[in-house]
Amino acid sequence: MSKIWVKKPMSAYEADIKKSQLKRVLGKWSLTAIGIGAIIGGGIFVLTGTGAYYNAGPALALSFVIAGIACVFAALCYAEFASILPVEGSAYAYAYGTVGEIFAWIIGWGLILEYAMGSMTVAVSWSGYFSKLLKMFGLHLPAWLTTDPQTYLAAGNSGFSMNLPAFLIVLFVISILIRGTKGAAKANNFIVILKVSAIIFVIIAGVFFINTDNWTPFIPQPTVITENGVSHSAYGVAGVVAGASAIFFAYVGFDAVSTQAGEAINPKKDVPFAIIASLVICTLLYILVSLVLTGMMHYTDFNPLGKYPDAIKAPVAYAFDIAGQAWAGYIITIAATIGLISVLMVMIMGQSRIFLGMSKDGLIPSTFSKVNPKTGVPTKNLIILGIVISIVASLTPINDLAHMTSFGTLFAFTMVCVAVWVLRVKEPNLQRNFKVPALPLIACLGIAINIYLIINLSKEAQMYSLGWLVIGFIIYFLYSKKHSKLQNGGYGETFKAEQEPLEKPDLDL
């Protein structure tokens, strides 16, 4: 049993970097765009309404600040690891070199929840926005082509159904990704520019319709909200903190930058920069949007049982409708529809690179580590992922998918905070281009916050996640442990990094 704690030697990581077939084409701003592409999705146009009404009121801006700070603790730890181990695999790779194989496997298994299940959730969300966009132009898809079978039957229908838009958007994204990282990054850069421009438009245009009375009181008095016989506390300082938990997952995605380290031109410097920069930029945008939204509409107007029952579903678009600027709803819907494509693209890219790292270590089949020498991407890996994600997304309700996403992210964040501290103690002399300041404090805060959020996940999420972990342990002991290169002496003294310099990278985008 002691072998399951064995660690991957640093020499093996060095060899991975030297032998990698991935093309180093990403500079710091392309990496930053990948982070922004993953973080900013449809959530900014939805979570703002729910957070304002159910939790914090106008003080939702403070909730975004708190959530951003909570993410910074994990982001700083990610950044230090990326400066030491600039390889694909994200938290999985970091844990393998510090805590041991069994933890690395479980983190990798958990990251499937964050990326693969997250991709499915985004695909279903995109289908909803796309259908709404078509309706704006008078086009209506039949329910049996936009609804998963379970939801379709529950609505009293019969016969065949599938979410065709969700199925097709995944295949479209895969067709872009298999052509190469450079082309995919260019597409992501373009989409990120579009959606950030739309968010800036919302901020600037919305300023002219702010009524400052809506911000008074900024932190409403604590109260109890009751809906359908269920009551919960809202507002006050406790509501602001609860709001931070509710909108925390709007920030999830900055770790996608670390999954692309194997394709970064100067990973030890650029990956830490991109992780921090994407998080800071998105935090600022979130704060400004929440201030504008709660200034345009009173937070109580987002009540789903009140005067504007639909406002909570599309709060930003509805705020402009009430202001007499319905045309802005078209811009916002188009931006959300296009913007979700980049989220899906980055999440599938991240999952494929995690699989690539795990496959190179022998923990999953070797098919996932085959890199196309012409395009420099793991083509078979991407195609298999695309088939699985597209089918599941077209047949599964979004709430079931969403339940599976959160745990993997928080678990990975927690383990990165632990692992970076362990490595600082055990290997204090390693070269670190970036070091977390006051590491014991930062790591402890990161661990505490993420464990707190795990404990406060829904019962369904906890049950699904526990079942997923059990399956992961079974697969590890039946397959991964037996095929692990580390367990079979694959990383010994004969497997040292070559001395020749890395291949000259392509120019930055």
Side-chain angles (χ1 to χ4, degrees):
M1 280 294 285
S2 62
K3 280 191 173 183
I4 67 175
W5 303 102
V6 68
K7 302 176 186 67
K8 186 174 177 179
M10 290 299 164
S11 59
Y13 284 107
E14 293 168 8
D16 283 345
I17 296 170
K18 302 290 185 182
K19 291 183 174 181
S20 177
Q21 293 177 285
L22 298 173
K23 294 184 178 181
R24 294 191 176 275
V25 296
L26 301 175
K28 63 181 180 181
W29 292 112
S30 293
L31 290 165
T32 302
I34 285 173
I36 295 173
I39 297 171
I40 294 183
I44 194 170
F45 300 115
V46 177
L47 291 177
T48 42
T50 57
Y53 176 68
Y54 288 108
N55 301 114
L60 179 66
L62 296 180
S63 297
F64 275 113
V65 172
I66 294 170
I69 292 172
C71 281
V72 163
F73 298 140
L76 289 171
C77 295
Y78 265 94
E80 177 166 328
F81 259 130
S83 74
I84 302 170
L85 301 174
V87 293
E88 67 280 349
S90 183
Y92 158 77
Y94 305 155
Y96 210 166
T98 56
V99 186
E101 183 175 274
I102 184 64
F103 266 101
W105 164 258
I106 290 300
I107 288 177
W109 189 246
L111 286 172
I112 297 174
L113 291 179
E114 176 181 350
Y115 285 98
M117 297 296 179
S119 297
M120 297 168 194
T121 305
V122 172
V124 177
S125 298
W126 182 88
S127 175
Y129 275 101
F130 180 68
S131 298
K132 180 182 178 183
L133 182 63
L134 291 180
K135 289 177 183 177
M136 285 181 161
F137 292 96
L139 300 174
H140 298 268
L141 294 175
W144 64 274
L145 276 182
T146 59
T147 311
D148 63 90
Q150 182 178 327
T151 304
Y152 188 71
L153 294 174
N157 301 302
S158 61
F160 171 81
S161 73
M162 70 176 294
N163 194 331
L164 183 62
F167 180 85
L168 294 178
I169 191 59
V170 174
L171 299 185
F172 172 73
V173 167
I174 293 296
S175 71
I176 295 175
L177 294 179
I178 62 176
R179 296 185 180 188
T181 299
K182 194 168 187 176
K186 284 183 177 179
N188 179 68
N189 291 349
F190 175 72
I191 295 173
V192 166
I193 290 171
L194 280 181
K195 66 181 176 182
V196 170
S197 298
I199 291 169
I200 292 174
F201 160 79
V202 167
I203 294 168
I204 295 175
V207 165
F208 295 98
F209 302 99
I210 287 176
N211 178 357
T212 55
D213 290 342
N214 290 332
W215 288 338
T216 304
F218 191 68
I219 301 180
Q221 289 296 315
T223 188
V224 175
I225 295 177
T226 302
E227 284 185 5
N228 301 320
V230 179
S231 301
H232 79 274
S233 300
Y235 315 133
V237 175
V240 174
V241 176
S245 298
I247 51 87
F248 176 83
F249 299 106
Y251 287 96
V252 169
F254 69 81
D255 59 327
V257 177
S258 65
T259 68
Q260 303 300 128
E263 290 147 285
I265 293 174
N266 188 1
K268 290 191 175 183
K269 291 184 179 179
D270 292 348
V271 173
F273 172 89
I275 288 173
I276 302 301
S278 60
L279 187 58
V280 170
I281 291 169
C282 293
T283 299
L284 179 61
L285 292 175
Y286 282 161
I287 291 169
L288 293 176
V289 167
S290 63
L291 285 172
V292 167
L293 183 65
T294 54
M296 292 178 69
M297 286 182 65
H298 196 270
Y299 67 94
T300 57
D301 286 338
F302 294 111
N303 183 356
L305 303 177
K307 184 179 179 182
Y308 307 110
D310 293 329
I312 200 166
K313 298 177 183 177
V316 180
Y318 212 88
F320 279 96
D321 283 344
I322 293 175
Q325 308 297 318
W327 58 272
Y330 285 83
I331 295 177
I332 294 164
T333 302
I334 292 171
T337 304
I338 296 175
L340 283 173
I341 295 175
S342 73
V343 180
L344 184 59
M345 188 181 300
V346 171
M347 297 193 84
I348 295 177
M349 284 175 67
Q351 179 62 73
S352 68
R353 279 22 173 210
I354 291 169
F355 272 175
L356 176 64
M358 296 174 74
S359 178
K360 285 164 67 174
D361 292 328
L363 301 186
I364 61 175
S366 60
T367 301
F368 291 97
S369 59
K370 305 295 184 184
V371 176
N372 186 313
K374 184 177 180 180
T375 60
V377 298
T379 304
K380 291 182 180 179
N381 183 335
L382 286 165
I383 291 174
I384 293 171
L385 274 174
I387 292 172
V388 173
I389 291 171
S390 60
I391 292 174
V392 176
S394 67
L395 301 176
T396 310
I398 189 171
N399 59 315
D400 288 348
L401 295 172
H403 280 315
M404 298 289 283
T405 306
S406 304
F407 177 83
T409 305
L410 291 168
F411 186 67
F413 283 8
T414 303
M415 288 311 305
V416 167
C417 292
V418 171
V420 76
W421 196 0
V422 170
L423 190 62
R424 183 80 73 86
V425 172
K426 292 191 173 182
E427 300 282 352
N429 298 320
L430 280 178
Q431 179 184 348
R432 292 170 169 84
N433 288 26
F434 176 86
K435 294 183 71 172
V436 178
L439 177 61
L441 176 62
I442 296 296
C444 286
L445 289 172
I447 293 166
I449 289 174
N450 287 295
I451 290 177
Y452 172 79
L453 291 172
I454 288 174
I455 293 172
N456 284 277
L457 288 173
S458 68
K459 296 298 182 184
E460 294 86 354
Q462 292 176 350
M463 289 176 59
Y464 284 138
S465 301
L466 179 61
W468 184 259
L469 289 179
V470 170
I471 294 171
F473 276 111
I474 293 172
I475 293 176
Y476 174 76
F477 285 105
L478 290 181
Y479 177 89
S480 303
K481 187 173 182 291
K482 295 178 182 178
H483 293 83
S484 166
K485 289 185 179 180
L486 202 58
Q487 299 283 354
N488 292 292
Y491 296 128
E493 289 299 314
T494 58
F495 191 61
K496 292 291 186 181
E498 292 87 353
Q499 297 304 310
E500 64 267 27
L502 288 171
E503 177 185 7
K504 185 178 180 181
D506 291 353
L507 292 176
D508 187 21
L509 302 177

